[in-house]
Amino acid sequence: MPDPADLAEGFGQLVLDCALTQLRAVPKLPASNGNCLNACGEKIAYDQHFCCSECRDDFERIQAAKRRNGVL
Ligand SMILES: [Zn+2]
């Protein structure tokens, strides 16, 4: 018969694995087209996605909200 403490530990590991999987499941950003992905109108370099950290934060917040609402 398994030790209840072992079971509890296994469950904790499962939750941790799940959380890590979610962390890794960050969606890929679309390729840059020379404009800030937050559609603020700023021109950016092609190897960048956002003109500033505020736009990146905004964009991520909107994406997260869309995922929550099942839009994405
Ligand atoms: Zn921007």
Side-chain angles (χ1 to χ4, degrees):
M1 177 169 169
D3 187 330
D6 283 350
L7 286 178
E9 198 168 302
F11 181 70
Q13 187 60 46
L14 195 67
V15 170
L16 192 66
D17 283 350
C18 195
L20 286 175
T21 304
Q22 294 234 321
L23 274 182
R24 284 197 212 96
V26 174
K28 274 198 162 57
L29 292 171
S32 170
N33 60 3
N35 294 300
C36 177
L37 284 181
N38 198 34
C40 69
E42 285 289 328
K43 297 280 180 214
I44 54 168
Y46 278 88
D47 61 349
Q48 295 185 321
H49 290 104
F50 303 101
C51 65
C52 59
S53 58
E54 281 82 10
C55 273
R56 187 197 59 215
D57 290 350
D58 253 18
F59 184 84
E60 285 175 356
R61 210 165 30 237
I62 291 166
Q63 296 294 302
K66 283 183 177 175
R67 276 199 301 279
R68 265 201 308 278
N69 294 330
V71 178
L72 282 181

